[in-house]
Amino acid sequence: MTLNYSILDQSPISEGSSPQEALKQTAILAQKAEQWGYTRFWVSEHHDATTLAGSSPEVLIAHLGAVTKTIRLGSGGVMLPHYAPFKIAENFKLLEALYPDRIDAGVGRAPGGMPRASYALNEGKKRDTSKFPAQIDDLRMYLTDSIPEEHPYYGMKATPVTKHSPPIWVLGSSENSAQLAADKGLPYMFAHFINGEGGQQFAKEYRERFKPYKDSKPHVGFAIFVVCQETPEQAERVASSMDLSLCMGAQGMPSKGTPPPEKAMAYPYSKFEKLLVAENRRRMVVGTPEQVVDRLEDLADEYGADEVMLVSSAYSFTDKLKTFQLIAEEMKKRR
C-alpha cells in the first residue's frame, strides 16, 4: 500500500519577521505542496500565541483554497470544545461549497493556548472537554444533514447544503483520542510532534477497536517534526533553530519567534536544557533525504500508518521549502 505524505503548517513567525509574512509563506507552501504531490495540507489553531500566526484555520483554509486547485485542505485542527458544533458545521459546509471534495474537518479537544485564552473563548467559563465526544456526534449530524425526527432541531439545515460533507478527523496525542476515533468510526491523526511516546501502541488499539460508521474504514496517520537538507551538517544547522525554539517554549521563556541558526548554535545550553533538546529530538526526524524518508517509513511500519503528516519550521523560509521539496523528491524515487 502506498504511504501518503501530507503537511501540517502552523504558520510560524521567524524572529524579525511578521504574522503577515508568515501567512504569505503558508500560502506559498500550500501551492508548492500541491506542485510536489502531497496529499493534503492542513493548518492549525493557536490562541494568544505571538510566535504562530494561525488562530482561525477555517478563515485561512478559505484563502488557501483560492490559491490552490487540487490539494486537500483542512484543519489540524479546530479545537471543538471552544465552539458550537452547528457553527463549525456551517463553516465547513461553506468551505465544501467553495472547494468541493477538497475539505477535511480535523477536530481536537486541546485548548490551543494558555488558560486565559480558553477563558476568553468561553466567555469567562471553564472549558468543558467532557462534551467533546457528544460534540463530534453533533458535528457529524449537522454536516451530514441527519438530524433525527425526535431531535428538537429536526428540520434545520447547516447551510449551504452541499452534495458531499467534509470528512471529520479526530486529532490527538493520547490513548483517549485514539479510542474516541475508533468508537466513532473516524480517521485518526496522532500528534507525534507533541507526544513522542505511545503513538504506535495507540494506533494499534485504534485499529483493533475500530467500529465502522456506515461504510467507514480505519485510517491512521501520525504528524511529526522534520528537517531535511542535502547534507547532515546542513540539516543540523537548520534544526538548531527548532531545538532552541522548542526548548524555550517548554520553559515558558519569552520568544520573538523562530531564532536564526547562528543564535541557536551559540546558545549556552545548561545540562538540563541539553537533556530537553535530546528528549525533543524524539519528536523530530533530522537528516538527508534518504535518512529522513528511511526513518519516516520505519515509523510508518511501527504505526501501521496510512499517512505521514510533516511539520516543520525553520528560520529561513528557503530552508523550510527545501525540507518539503527534498522529501517529496525522495518519496517519488521510491514509488
Side-chain angles (χ1 to χ4, degrees), residues 56-305:
S56 179
E58 303 101 313
V59 174
L60 186 50
I61 291 167
H63 173 61
L64 298 179
V67 298
T68 57
K69 295 179 180 178
T70 58
I71 194 167
R72 292 197 66 87
L73 302 168
S75 52
V78 168
M79 299 297 104
L80 195 53
H82 290 313
Y83 313 112
F86 182 67
K87 182 57 182 173
I88 300 303
E90 287 186 323
N91 288 345
F92 279 94
K93 291 291 283 289
L94 181 53
L95 289 169
E96 175 66 22
L98 289 169
Y99 312 111
D101 297 321
R102 293 181 57 199
I103 302 299
D104 298 323
V107 297
R109 78 176 106 204
M114 298 303 287
R116 65 181 183 182
S118 293
Y119 278 108
L121 286 162
N122 291 273
E123 297 186 313
K125 299 175 185 176
K126 185 178 180 181
R127 190 174 65 101
D128 184 4
T129 58
S130 67
K131 62 184 181 180
F132 183 55
Q135 285 188 304
I136 289 177
D137 291 336
D138 287 345
L139 179 60
R140 178 155 56 187
M141 177 180 71
Y142 295 136
L143 283 174
T144 59
D145 194 20
S146 57
I147 303 175
E149 289 188 21
E150 64 274 14
H151 197 283
Y153 301 149
Y154 177 69
M156 185 180 69
K157 305 281 187 185
T159 55
V161 175
T162 55
K163 184 177 180 181
H164 301 289
S165 61
I168 300 171
W169 286 68
V170 174
L171 319 180
S173 58
S174 69
E175 185 176 26
N176 286 341
S177 58
Q179 293 173 349
L180 179 62
D183 290 344
K184 302 297 184 184
L186 295 170
Y188 177 60
M189 184 65 69
F190 179 77
H192 190 109
F193 72 102
I194 293 175
N195 177 13
E197 292 186 9
Q200 294 91 328
Q201 179 59 34
F202 303 156
K204 182 175 182 289
E205 292 176 15
Y206 163 80
R207 289 194 181 276
E208 292 173 348
R209 184 178 175 130
F210 189 84
K211 300 173 185 175
Y213 176 80
K214 295 185 178 179
D215 60 349
S216 69
K217 296 179 181 179
H219 185 102
V220 63
F222 64 97
I224 187 166
F225 282 127
V226 290
V227 175
C228 184
Q229 300 292 302
E230 290 166 338
T231 68
E233 294 77 17
Q234 289 170 334
E236 285 297 328
R237 182 177 184 277
V238 173
S240 67
S241 296
M242 291 176 66
D243 287 336
L244 181 55
S245 183
L246 291 171
C247 181
M248 293 174 67
Q251 299 177 88
M253 298 168 66
S255 173
K256 296 179 181 179
T258 306
E262 294 77 15
K263 179 178 179 179
M265 295 175 76
Y267 182 81
Y269 285 100
S270 68
K271 185 179 293 187
F272 167 76
E273 288 173 327
K274 288 178 182 178
L275 292 172
L276 191 57
V277 168
E279 181 66 21
N280 285 336
R281 281 296 183 102
R282 299 176 65 181
R283 303 185 278 148
M284 300 168 61
V285 178
V286 178
T288 64
E290 188 175 74
Q291 291 171 335
V292 168
V293 176
D294 280 348
R295 179 56 181 151
L296 291 175
E297 289 183 345
D298 287 344
L299 281 169
D301 286 341
E302 294 173 17
Y303 270 91

